[in-house]
């Protein structure tokens, strides 16, 4: 609405989807997803091939269905997966209450997909990279002095590519390339609070890898996704608890609580 131009690649979409003006958010969504729409046939073909491949893998190994084959590696009973789906469906009324709360707090006549990203209240605060490190280090103190010392040493090393740039892969990842090499982090951090939470989350994965590699031989040091997300989410929760405890105003507390609800929703 103010004439600002933005490149809406994966990083640009993430940075601008929470624009405070609703018309701008809609413009971001319409333009970003229209670019994907041009490749719907290719994307559909890729999805069909992926599905057929998973079905072939399951049948060739005598699994009753692709789900059983997918869960066999991490040794997760299919009942655990189905319970997660059932509980998510059972929680939909609470999710819908949250969306209605969001609609009212943002003073919207209705709520669309592009309305789920702006914060419930505005917080005029940015987080430079060194402050992200300082805040996360303070937040993980409950995990003990040894954990804090390892976190401080790891985050001081040059293992991280933190900021977005043109041509860089989108998203945020922790990659343990080899058992006897430290983890690497590919991030696309904004200067806003979501950048801070991503920093805490991905370094949770890195800490998990460091501790697992130190305690386990190569054969057992790896871990499945469902276990990995415990470590990363733990650091996120410790961070938001720290930010809430040190908030100076009710508006700031509302902001952090809103971001915590968004994390649960996601």
């Amino acid at each position: 609405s103010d004439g600002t131009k933005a490149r809406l690649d994966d990083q640009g979409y993430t940075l601008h989807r929470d624009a405070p003006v609703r018309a701008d958010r809609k413009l971001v969504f319409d333009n970003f997803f229209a670019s994907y729409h041009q490749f719907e046939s290719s994307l559909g073909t890729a999805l069909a091939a992926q599905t057929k491949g998973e079905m072939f893998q399951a049948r060739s190994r005598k699994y009753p269905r692709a789900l059983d084959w997918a869960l066999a590696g991490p040794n997760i009973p299919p009942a655990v997966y189905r319970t997660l789906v059932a509980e998510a469906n059972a929680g939909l009324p609470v999710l819908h209450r949250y969306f209605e709360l969001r609609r009212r707090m943002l003073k919207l006549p209705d709520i669309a997909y592009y309305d789920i990203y702006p914060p419930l209240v505005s917080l005029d605060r940015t987080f430079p990279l060194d402050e992200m490190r300082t805040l996360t280090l303070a937040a993980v103190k409950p995990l003990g002095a040894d954990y804090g010392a390892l976190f401080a040493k790891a985050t001081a090393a040059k293992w991280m590519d933190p900021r977005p740039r043109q041509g860089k892969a989108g998203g945020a990842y922790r990659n343990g390339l080899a058992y006897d090499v430290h983890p690497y982090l590919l991030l696309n951090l904004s200067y806003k609070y979501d950048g801070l939470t991503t920093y805490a989350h991905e370094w949770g994965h890195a800490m998990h890898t460091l501790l697992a590699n130190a305690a386990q031989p190569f054969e057992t040091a790896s871990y499945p996704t469902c276990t990995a997300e415990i470590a990363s989410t733990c650091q996120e929760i410790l961070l938001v608890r720290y930010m809430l405890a040190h908030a100076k105003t009710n508006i700031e507390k509302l902001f952090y609580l809103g971001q915590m609800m968004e994390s649960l929703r996601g």
Side-chain angles (χ1 to χ4, degrees):
S1 61
D2 60 359
T4 300
K5 292 185 177 181
R7 180 185 177 88
L8 291 179
D9 51 15
D10 286 350
Q11 297 98 328
Y13 163 72
T14 302
L15 292 174
H16 296 287
R17 65 187 178 185
D18 64 348
V21 178
R22 194 184 196 200
D24 292 344
R25 293 197 298 273
K26 187 176 186 305
L27 191 64
V28 168
F29 272 67
D30 289 347
N31 281 277
F32 178 73
F33 286 108
S35 64
Y36 274 99
H37 183 68
Q38 300 175 45
F39 302 98
E40 62 177 341
S41 295
S42 299
L43 294 170
T45 301
L47 177 59
Q50 173 74 15
T51 303
K52 290 178 180 178
E54 291 174 355
M55 292 169 63
F56 170 79
Q57 295 278 11
R59 289 168 179 164
S60 64
R61 289 165 173 77
K62 309 302 182 185
Y63 288 99
R65 52 188 67 84
L67 176 64
D68 299 78
W69 168 73
L71 296 176
N75 195 27
I76 301 170
V80 172
Y81 174 88
R82 297 192 184 282
T83 299
L84 287 171
V85 174
E87 289 301 314
N89 286 331
L92 285 177
V94 178
L95 177 67
H96 297 158
R97 280 181 59 200
Y98 165 63
F99 283 148
E100 175 58 16
L101 172 67
R102 168 170 281 276
R103 184 195 67 77
R104 293 196 341 251
M105 291 190 70
L106 295 176
K107 298 180 173 59
L108 300 173
D110 51 32
I111 190 163
Y113 182 32
Y114 47 79
D115 294 319
I116 66 176
Y117 292 105
L120 297 177
V121 295
S122 61
L123 181 69
D124 187 20
R125 181 178 178 182
T126 56
F127 300 91
L129 200 59
D130 58 346
E131 189 176 7
M132 290 182 183
R133 179 174 182 265
T134 301
L135 289 171
T136 308
L137 184 58
V140 300
K141 276 189 177 180
L143 297 179
D146 290 345
Y147 188 95
L150 180 59
F151 183 88
K153 180 180 178 181
T155 52
K158 296 185 182 298
W159 301 351
M160 175 178 62
D161 183 356
R163 299 295 185 190
R165 61 181 180 275
Q166 187 173 338
K168 182 180 176 181
Y173 310 97
R174 187 279 318 161
N175 194 332
L177 295 177
Y179 173 73
D180 56 352
V181 179
H182 61 75
Y184 293 86
L185 288 86
L186 182 147
L187 310 174
N188 287 280
L189 302 176
S190 74
Y191 290 89
K192 295 179 286 189
Y193 183 73
D194 71 289
L196 171 59
T197 59
T198 300
Y199 179 95
H201 181 103
E202 295 303 326
W203 273 108
H205 287 308
M207 291 294 292
H208 188 176
T209 297
L210 289 170
L211 292 169
N213 288 358
Q216 300 287 339
F218 168 77
E219 293 81 4
T220 55
S222 184
Y223 46 84
T225 301
C226 64
T227 307
E229 295 306 324
I230 296 172
S232 54
T233 305
C234 176
Q235 288 210 164
E236 271 196 79
I237 293 173
L238 288 172
L239 174 66
V240 75
R241 288 182 64 179
Y242 179 85
M243 300 303 286
L244 282 168
H246 292 81
K248 295 181 174 60
T249 65
N250 286 336
I251 291 294
E252 192 176 357
K253 285 185 178 180
L254 276 174
F255 176 86
Y256 296 134
L257 286 171
Q259 293 297 303
M260 191 174 187
M261 287 192 290
E262 264 306 288
S263 180
L264 291 169
R265 191 271 308 161

